[in-house]
Amino acid sequence: MKELETLRSELMSAVEKAGSLDDLEKIRVSALGKKGRITELMKGLGGMDPDSRKQAGQSLNALKAEIADAIEAKKRASADSELEARLARESVDVTLPVRPESEGYIHPISQTIDEVVAILGEMGLGVAEGPDIEDDWHNFTALNIPPDHPARQEHDTFYLPGAGDDDRLVLRTHTSPVQIRTMMTAEPPIRIIVPGRTYRCDYDATHSPMFHQVEGLVVDETTHMGHLKGCIIDFCRAFFDVDDLPVRFRPSYFPFTEPSAEVDIGCTREGGEFRIGHGDDWLEILGSGMVNAKVLENCNIDSTKYQGFAFGMGIERLAMLKYGIPDLRTFYESDLRWLRHYGFGALQVPSMVGGL
Ligand code: PHE
């Protein structure tokens, strides 16, 4: 017992004097570790007679708990004081310049989609989406492009392997199948814009096998060609930020619209310099028309009651024209220098009122 009392006061005073967390850990190991003094004494219990073992066991357990508590309490106290000392010692120099952080850029395709969506969104059109992998019916047949139609050749379609001719899967060649998907599920009035990826087997400075389009579709009882023209003229002027931009509708042909028109905007190519909105030259930028009655009927919409207009345009082409990007292939090269040059910072919220 005496021995235990001596050990107790020895350990307690060591804990008392310990100046650091390290010292405390050493004391803990020397007393309570595998070969610690209290642990060794506990190992000796086995050789005692039952009565003395019981008594000594209780005292040893009590001592063990007391020392462990004392070490814990002291550890907490010294951790606090070490932290306080560090806080007092160290200070933050708020006059130092901030570390440079590398900033991300918005890709011109994302920026252009945002602008188009913002402008047409203000006119009341909401974004709709559809799958990149389409079936033949949505991509062609329902849009009045039957299997032997020459327009199928023009699309340079990527066909997926498998399935027979009628239910082939394709990578959609335009965003127009989303017109079909929307008209099949929604009741008119319908007012949508469809930005998305499209695919055609073509590759040069102005064509890429994967590119982006935006489709517009409006269907209502009184929708007419005047709405189509107003919507597209306002869109072109807002997008290119030229209030008096000349816009021309040129008769054309698409199987899914009747009548159809291609849309040109005024530009000049004088002296090798290309500029939008000035001069007497024209540049084609999109396809449009009144939704063909056959397409409405294919979607179970009564063509004697409803009429609609639709338009479709290439996003890359719009971006190249607006931001002077000469080669379409560079859009997909993921070259950071290119992105730093042509990309956009955040917080450029486009709007029809007040410009972009
Ligand atoms: N889908 C046509 C194309 O890809 C564009 C278009 C859409 C034309 C809607 C008229 C109406 O060329």
Side-chain angles (χ1 to χ4, degrees), residues 282-303:
W282 295 100
L283 179 79
E284 182 204 318
I285 58 152
L286 60 87
S288 69
M290 297 305 294
V291 180
N292 193 318
K294 286 188 195 154
V295 175
L296 293 173
E297 296 296 340
N298 287 343
C299 299
N300 307 317
I301 292 181
D302 181 355
S303 64

PDB file of all heavy atoms in Angstrom, residues 282-303:
ATOM      1  N   TRP A 282     -25.519  40.056 -98.234  1.00  0.00           N
ATOM      2  CA  TRP A 282     -26.374  39.258 -97.345  1.00  0.00           C
ATOM      3  C   TRP A 282     -25.671  37.998 -96.871  1.00  0.00           C
ATOM      4  O   TRP A 282     -24.843  37.442 -97.579  1.00  0.00           O
ATOM      5  CB  TRP A 282     -27.661  38.846 -98.071  1.00  0.00           C
ATOM      6  CG  TRP A 282     -28.533  40.002 -98.431  1.00  0.00           C
ATOM      7  CD1 TRP A 282     -28.621  40.604 -99.645  1.00  0.00           C
ATOM      8  CD2 TRP A 282     -29.427  40.700 -97.562  1.00  0.00           C
ATOM      9  NE1 TRP A 282     -29.532  41.641 -99.602  1.00  0.00           N
ATOM     10  CE2 TRP A 282     -30.043  41.715 -98.328  1.00  0.00           C
ATOM     11  CE3 TRP A 282     -29.778  40.573 -96.214  1.00  0.00           C
ATOM     12  CZ2 TRP A 282     -30.985  42.596 -97.795  1.00  0.00           C
ATOM     13  CZ3 TRP A 282     -30.720  41.436 -95.682  1.00  0.00           C
ATOM     14  CH2 TRP A 282     -31.309  42.441 -96.470  1.00  0.00           C
ATOM     15  N   LEU A 283     -26.029  37.559 -95.686  1.00  0.00           N
ATOM     16  CA  LEU A 283     -25.455  36.347 -95.126  1.00  0.00           C
ATOM     17  C   LEU A 283     -26.572  35.489 -94.529  1.00  0.00           C
ATOM     18  O   LEU A 283     -27.365  35.972 -93.719  1.00  0.00           O
ATOM     19  CB  LEU A 283     -24.475  36.734 -94.005  1.00  0.00           C
ATOM     20  CG  LEU A 283     -23.805  35.568 -93.314  1.00  0.00           C
ATOM     21  CD1 LEU A 283     -22.664  35.042 -94.172  1.00  0.00           C
ATOM     22  CD2 LEU A 283     -23.284  35.989 -91.947  1.00  0.00           C
ATOM     23  N   GLU A 284     -26.597  34.221 -94.941  1.00  0.00           N
ATOM     24  CA  GLU A 284     -27.659  33.339 -94.440  1.00  0.00           C
ATOM     25  C   GLU A 284     -27.363  32.905 -93.000  1.00  0.00           C
ATOM     26  O   GLU A 284     -26.239  32.521 -92.692  1.00  0.00           O
ATOM     27  CB  GLU A 284     -27.736  32.102 -95.333  1.00  0.00           C
ATOM     28  CG  GLU A 284     -28.828  31.158 -94.931  1.00  0.00           C
ATOM     29  CD  GLU A 284     -28.557  29.739 -95.380  1.00  0.00           C
ATOM     30  OE1 GLU A 284     -28.089  29.564 -96.531  1.00  0.00           O
ATOM     31  OE2 GLU A 284     -28.784  28.831 -94.578  1.00  0.00           O
ATOM     32  N   ILE A 285     -28.364  33.002 -92.129  1.00  0.00           N
ATOM     33  CA  ILE A 285     -28.085  32.548 -90.752  1.00  0.00           C
ATOM     34  C   ILE A 285     -29.050  31.511 -90.199  1.00  0.00           C
ATOM     35  O   ILE A 285     -28.725  30.848 -89.218  1.00  0.00           O
ATOM     36  CB  ILE A 285     -27.962  33.705 -89.733  1.00  0.00           C
ATOM     37  CG1 ILE A 285     -29.224  34.541 -89.708  1.00  0.00           C
ATOM     38  CG2 ILE A 285     -26.737  34.555 -89.966  1.00  0.00           C
ATOM     39  CD1 ILE A 285     -29.367  35.165 -88.339  1.00  0.00           C
ATOM     40  N   LEU A 286     -30.245  31.372 -90.772  1.00  0.00           N
ATOM     41  CA  LEU A 286     -31.114  30.325 -90.211  1.00  0.00           C
ATOM     42  C   LEU A 286     -32.204  29.885 -91.184  1.00  0.00           C
ATOM     43  O   LEU A 286     -32.460  30.540 -92.195  1.00  0.00           O
ATOM     44  CB  LEU A 286     -31.721  30.772 -88.874  1.00  0.00           C
ATOM     45  CG  LEU A 286     -32.613  32.007 -88.783  1.00  0.00           C
ATOM     46  CD1 LEU A 286     -34.068  31.640 -89.064  1.00  0.00           C
ATOM     47  CD2 LEU A 286     -32.524  32.603 -87.389  1.00  0.00           C
ATOM     48  N   GLY A 287     -32.829  28.753 -90.847  1.00  0.00           N
ATOM     49  CA  GLY A 287     -33.938  28.226 -91.630  1.00  0.00           C
ATOM     50  C   GLY A 287     -35.218  28.352 -90.826  1.00  0.00           C
ATOM     51  O   GLY A 287     -35.198  28.257 -89.596  1.00  0.00           O
ATOM     52  N   SER A 288     -36.344  28.584 -91.530  1.00  0.00           N
ATOM     53  CA  SER A 288     -37.584  28.784 -90.788  1.00  0.00           C
ATOM     54  C   SER A 288     -38.789  28.454 -91.667  1.00  0.00           C
ATOM     55  O   SER A 288     -38.643  28.176 -92.862  1.00  0.00           O
ATOM     56  CB  SER A 288     -37.684  30.241 -90.332  1.00  0.00           C
ATOM     57  OG  SER A 288     -37.886  31.081 -91.464  1.00  0.00           O
ATOM     58  N   GLY A 289     -39.970  28.510 -91.086  1.00  0.00           N
ATOM     59  CA  GLY A 289     -41.188  28.322 -91.874  1.00  0.00           C
ATOM     60  C   GLY A 289     -42.383  28.072 -90.991  1.00  0.00           C
ATOM     61  O   GLY A 289     -42.254  27.957 -89.765  1.00  0.00           O
ATOM     62  N   MET A 290     -43.562  27.982 -91.638  1.00  0.00           N
ATOM     63  CA  MET A 290     -44.787  27.631 -90.915  1.00  0.00           C
ATOM     64  C   MET A 290     -44.839  26.100 -90.838  1.00  0.00           C
ATOM     65  O   MET A 290     -44.620  25.420 -91.850  1.00  0.00           O
ATOM     66  CB  MET A 290     -46.017  28.161 -91.665  1.00  0.00           C
ATOM     67  CG  MET A 290     -46.071  29.685 -91.777  1.00  0.00           C
ATOM     68  SD  MET A 290     -45.966  30.540 -90.188  1.00  0.00           S
ATOM     69  CE  MET A 290     -47.494  30.037 -89.414  1.00  0.00           C
ATOM     70  N   VAL A 291     -45.102  25.573 -89.652  1.00  0.00           N
ATOM     71  CA  VAL A 291     -45.094  24.119 -89.457  1.00  0.00           C
ATOM     72  C   VAL A 291     -46.040  23.460 -90.478  1.00  0.00           C
ATOM     73  O   VAL A 291     -47.210  23.841 -90.589  1.00  0.00           O
ATOM     74  CB  VAL A 291     -45.531  23.747 -88.024  1.00  0.00           C
ATOM     75  CG1 VAL A 291     -45.515  22.225 -87.845  1.00  0.00           C
ATOM     76  CG2 VAL A 291     -44.621  24.410 -86.997  1.00  0.00           C
ATOM     77  N   ASN A 292     -45.501  22.527 -91.238  1.00  0.00           N
ATOM     78  CA  ASN A 292     -46.286  21.814 -92.250  1.00  0.00           C
ATOM     79  C   ASN A 292     -47.485  21.127 -91.593  1.00  0.00           C
ATOM     80  O   ASN A 292     -47.342  20.459 -90.559  1.00  0.00           O
ATOM     81  CB  ASN A 292     -45.376  20.786 -92.935  1.00  0.00           C
ATOM     82  CG  ASN A 292     -45.986  20.219 -94.193  1.00  0.00           C
ATOM     83  OD1 ASN A 292     -47.182  19.915 -94.230  1.00  0.00           O
ATOM     84  ND2 ASN A 292     -45.169  20.080 -95.227  1.00  0.00           N
ATOM     85  N   ALA A 293     -48.691  21.294 -92.209  1.00  0.00           N
ATOM     86  CA  ALA A 293     -49.908  20.690 -91.643  1.00  0.00           C
ATOM     87  C   ALA A 293     -49.726  19.187 -91.427  1.00  0.00           C
ATOM     88  O   ALA A 293     -50.245  18.614 -90.465  1.00  0.00           O
ATOM     89  CB  ALA A 293     -51.091  20.966 -92.565  1.00  0.00           C
ATOM     90  N   LYS A 294     -48.935  18.548 -92.322  1.00  0.00           N
ATOM     91  CA  LYS A 294     -48.727  17.090 -92.179  1.00  0.00           C
ATOM     92  C   LYS A 294     -47.997  16.777 -90.881  1.00  0.00           C
ATOM     93  O   LYS A 294     -48.239  15.751 -90.248  1.00  0.00           O
ATOM     94  CB  LYS A 294     -47.885  16.575 -93.355  1.00  0.00           C
ATOM     95  CG  LYS A 294     -48.640  16.508 -94.650  1.00  0.00           C
ATOM     96  CD  LYS A 294     -47.758  15.802 -95.679  1.00  0.00           C
ATOM     97  CE  LYS A 294     -48.323  16.045 -97.073  1.00  0.00           C
ATOM     98  NZ  LYS A 294     -47.287  15.950 -98.089  1.00  0.00           N
ATOM     99  N   VAL A 295     -47.070  17.660 -90.503  1.00  0.00           N
ATOM    100  CA  VAL A 295     -46.313  17.443 -89.259  1.00  0.00           C
ATOM    101  C   VAL A 295     -47.245  17.596 -88.049  1.00  0.00           C
ATOM    102  O   VAL A 295     -47.198  16.793 -87.112  1.00  0.00           O
ATOM    103  CB  VAL A 295     -45.114  18.419 -89.172  1.00  0.00           C
ATOM    104  CG1 VAL A 295     -44.402  18.298 -87.833  1.00  0.00           C
ATOM    105  CG2 VAL A 295     -44.133  18.170 -90.318  1.00  0.00           C
ATOM    106  N   LEU A 296     -48.124  18.609 -88.098  1.00  0.00           N
ATOM    107  CA  LEU A 296     -49.086  18.780 -86.997  1.00  0.00           C
ATOM    108  C   LEU A 296     -49.951  17.529 -86.877  1.00  0.00           C
ATOM    109  O   LEU A 296     -50.148  17.000 -85.785  1.00  0.00           O
ATOM    110  CB  LEU A 296     -49.979  20.007 -87.246  1.00  0.00           C
ATOM    111  CG  LEU A 296     -49.287  21.376 -87.206  1.00  0.00           C
ATOM    112  CD1 LEU A 296     -50.269  22.473 -87.653  1.00  0.00           C
ATOM    113  CD2 LEU A 296     -48.774  21.691 -85.796  1.00  0.00           C
ATOM    114  N   GLU A 297     -50.432  17.051 -88.026  1.00  0.00           N
ATOM    115  CA  GLU A 297     -51.303  15.866 -88.008  1.00  0.00           C
ATOM    116  C   GLU A 297     -50.545  14.632 -87.509  1.00  0.00           C
ATOM    117  O   GLU A 297     -51.095  13.818 -86.777  1.00  0.00           O
ATOM    118  CB  GLU A 297     -51.896  15.595 -89.403  1.00  0.00           C
ATOM    119  CG  GLU A 297     -52.825  16.709 -89.931  1.00  0.00           C
ATOM    120  CD  GLU A 297     -54.102  16.886 -89.087  1.00  0.00           C
ATOM    121  OE1 GLU A 297     -54.470  15.947 -88.351  1.00  0.00           O
ATOM    122  OE2 GLU A 297     -54.717  17.973 -89.166  1.00  0.00           O
ATOM    123  N   ASN A 298     -49.271  14.495 -87.912  1.00  0.00           N
ATOM    124  CA  ASN A 298     -48.460  13.371 -87.414  1.00  0.00           C
ATOM    125  C   ASN A 298     -48.382  13.369 -85.891  1.00  0.00           C
ATOM    126  O   ASN A 298     -48.138  12.340 -85.262  1.00  0.00           O
ATOM    127  CB  ASN A 298     -47.029  13.431 -87.968  1.00  0.00           C
ATOM    128  CG  ASN A 298     -46.973  13.043 -89.439  1.00  0.00           C
ATOM    129  OD1 ASN A 298     -47.917  12.432 -89.945  1.00  0.00           O
ATOM    130  ND2 ASN A 298     -45.893  13.410 -90.119  1.00  0.00           N
ATOM    131  N   CYS A 299     -48.542  14.563 -85.304  1.00  0.00           N
ATOM    132  CA  CYS A 299     -48.449  14.668 -83.840  1.00  0.00           C
ATOM    133  C   CYS A 299     -49.839  14.769 -83.216  1.00  0.00           C
ATOM    134  O   CYS A 299     -49.974  15.199 -82.059  1.00  0.00           O
ATOM    135  CB  CYS A 299     -47.627  15.895 -83.451  1.00  0.00           C
ATOM    136  SG  CYS A 299     -45.955  15.829 -84.075  1.00  0.00           S
ATOM    137  N   ASN A 300     -50.848  14.430 -83.991  1.00  0.00           N
ATOM    138  CA  ASN A 300     -52.242  14.459 -83.512  1.00  0.00           C
ATOM    139  C   ASN A 300     -52.702  15.854 -83.095  1.00  0.00           C
ATOM    140  O   ASN A 300     -53.473  16.002 -82.152  1.00  0.00           O
ATOM    141  CB  ASN A 300     -52.442  13.483 -82.339  1.00  0.00           C
ATOM    142  CG  ASN A 300     -51.963  12.091 -82.698  1.00  0.00           C
ATOM    143  OD1 ASN A 300     -52.233  11.612 -83.808  1.00  0.00           O
ATOM    144  ND2 ASN A 300     -51.218  11.473 -81.802  1.00  0.00           N
ATOM    145  N   ILE A 301     -52.195  16.870 -83.792  1.00  0.00           N
ATOM    146  CA  ILE A 301     -52.684  18.229 -83.542  1.00  0.00           C
ATOM    147  C   ILE A 301     -53.557  18.622 -84.727  1.00  0.00           C
ATOM    148  O   ILE A 301     -53.147  18.455 -85.892  1.00  0.00           O
ATOM    149  CB  ILE A 301     -51.501  19.220 -83.358  1.00  0.00           C
ATOM    150  CG1 ILE A 301     -50.781  18.890 -82.042  1.00  0.00           C
ATOM    151  CG2 ILE A 301     -51.981  20.673 -83.382  1.00  0.00           C
ATOM    152  CD1 ILE A 301     -49.618  19.799 -81.713  1.00  0.00           C
ATOM    153  N   ASP A 302     -54.745  19.102 -84.442  1.00  0.00           N
ATOM    154  CA  ASP A 302     -55.727  19.435 -85.479  1.00  0.00           C
ATOM    155  C   ASP A 302     -55.237  20.643 -86.290  1.00  0.00           C
ATOM    156  O   ASP A 302     -55.217  21.772 -85.794  1.00  0.00           O
ATOM    157  CB  ASP A 302     -57.066  19.738 -84.794  1.00  0.00           C
ATOM    158  CG  ASP A 302     -58.154  20.062 -85.811  1.00  0.00           C
ATOM    159  OD1 ASP A 302     -57.850  20.136 -87.022  1.00  0.00           O
ATOM    160  OD2 ASP A 302     -59.315  20.232 -85.374  1.00  0.00           O
ATOM    161  N   SER A 303     -54.842  20.382 -87.565  1.00  0.00           N
ATOM    162  CA  SER A 303     -54.245  21.455 -88.368  1.00  0.00           C
ATOM    163  C   SER A 303     -55.294  22.438 -88.895  1.00  0.00           C
ATOM    164  O   SER A 303     -54.941  23.467 -89.475  1.00  0.00           O
ATOM    165  CB  SER A 303     -53.440  20.866 -89.528  1.00  0.00           C
ATOM    166  OG  SER A 303     -54.312  20.176 -90.403  1.00  0.00           O
TER     167      SER A 303
END
